[in-house]
Amino acid sequence: MTSDTTDSTARPTLVPTGDVTIFEAAEFRDSVVTLLMHDGPVELDLSGIERVDGAGIQLVLAAERHGRCQVTRMSPSIRRAFEELGYAPGTSTRS
């Protein structure tokens, strides 16, 4: 997993790419924690995720439930994983 944090939009955005599985979970968590250090709303752009597992989904949900983090632009693989678990994509509520 690689990630990039940008401030080019109205809010800081984390754009991870590649896999977000148990093997990348610690790195992804650290990137999310760094993102959440910014004041105000932040964005997690998941369009570059190729593979995700339960560990990655848990971290996305934890970030979103923080209250200031909005999940945007989900890749097909992460959207499918959310749907298989019964969650509406981009929200922390069940569909």
Side-chain angles (χ1 to χ4, degrees):
M1 184 206 85
T2 60
S3 62
D4 183 32
T5 303
T6 64
D7 285 310
S8 61
T9 62
R11 58 179 131 186
T13 303
L14 177 66
V15 187
T17 58
D19 297 343
V20 180
T21 66
I22 189 68
F23 303 107
E24 298 82 23
E27 180 185 356
F28 182 59
R29 180 198 164 280
D30 292 346
S31 295
V32 170
V33 167
T34 299
L35 176 68
L36 291 170
M37 288 181 184
H38 290 86
D39 291 330
V42 296
E43 187 173 316
L44 186 55
D45 178 338
L46 302 177
S47 60
I49 301 297
E50 295 173 19
R51 286 188 328 160
V52 66
D53 68 2
I57 292 291
Q58 286 178 326
L59 290 168
V60 169
L61 290 173
E64 189 176 50
R65 287 185 176 152
H66 191 272
R68 295 185 305 113
C69 184
Q70 180 181 6
V71 175
T72 63
R73 300 185 58 211
M74 299 176 107
S75 70
S77 63
I78 200 162
R79 182 176 303 279
R80 191 169 34 257
F82 267 85
E83 290 171 351
E84 287 173 2
L85 292 171
Y87 285 91
T91 71
S92 59
T93 58
R94 287 191 176 265
S95 56

